[in-house]
Amino acid sequence: MSIAAVRPHTDAVVVLLAAAGVLVGRGKVPAGGGWASNPGTSTFTGYAVLYPFGGTDEATSLAQTHASLDFPFQLTCVGATQDQAAGVMDAARAALIGVTPAVVGRTAYPVYPVPLSRPITRDDAVAPPVHYGTLQFHFRSDPA
């Protein structure tokens, strides 16, 4: 039985974002993201944090179960201002929507957005506040 690994799918998303100039971290703030030095008085570099879901394995036939993977993932886009967070979101959307990721050993299909109804929000729990925008996407892959 073949089961698709999540990590190569995550790697493929990171490659697409990085190629488009989107600074991205895997579950954490990426190196170079956020405040350059003193929060609030230094430059803030916007970034995205990638959170992959575990994916859903699907059977392609009775003989080859769990070979296909539906891979949803979330990006949390962060900026010092609402406009900066929106800019990171725009860059991420442009880098991903309709683009086919190169997943090692797999045949992937284009990324499409998952509709979400969440506004860009200001986080006042940190000082100075930052803004977060959330995007969700999905793509599928099959064995090559």
Side-chain angles (χ1 to χ4, degrees), residues 62-82:
L62 292 176
Q64 191 177 30
T65 59
H66 306 294
S68 295
L69 182 72
D70 285 318
F71 182 69
F73 59 96
Q74 176 175 303
L75 290 175
T76 301
C77 302
V78 185
T81 64
Q82 186 182 63

Side-chain angles (χ1 to χ4, degrees), residues 12-88:
V13 171
V14 169
V15 166
L16 289 175
L17 291 167
V22 177
L23 191 58
V24 61
R26 296 169 185 252
K28 64 180 184 176
V29 177
W35 298 106
S37 57
N38 296 330
T41 60
S42 64
T43 303
F44 188 97
T45 301
Y47 61 89
V49 179
L50 173 61
Y51 297 100
F53 291 75
T56 303
D57 298 306
E58 290 190 5
T60 54
S61 71
L62 292 176
Q64 191 177 30
T65 59
H66 306 294
S68 295
L69 182 72
D70 285 318
F71 182 69
F73 59 96
Q74 176 175 303
L75 290 175
T76 301
C77 302
V78 185
T81 64
Q82 186 182 63
D83 284 344
Q84 188 177 36
V88 175

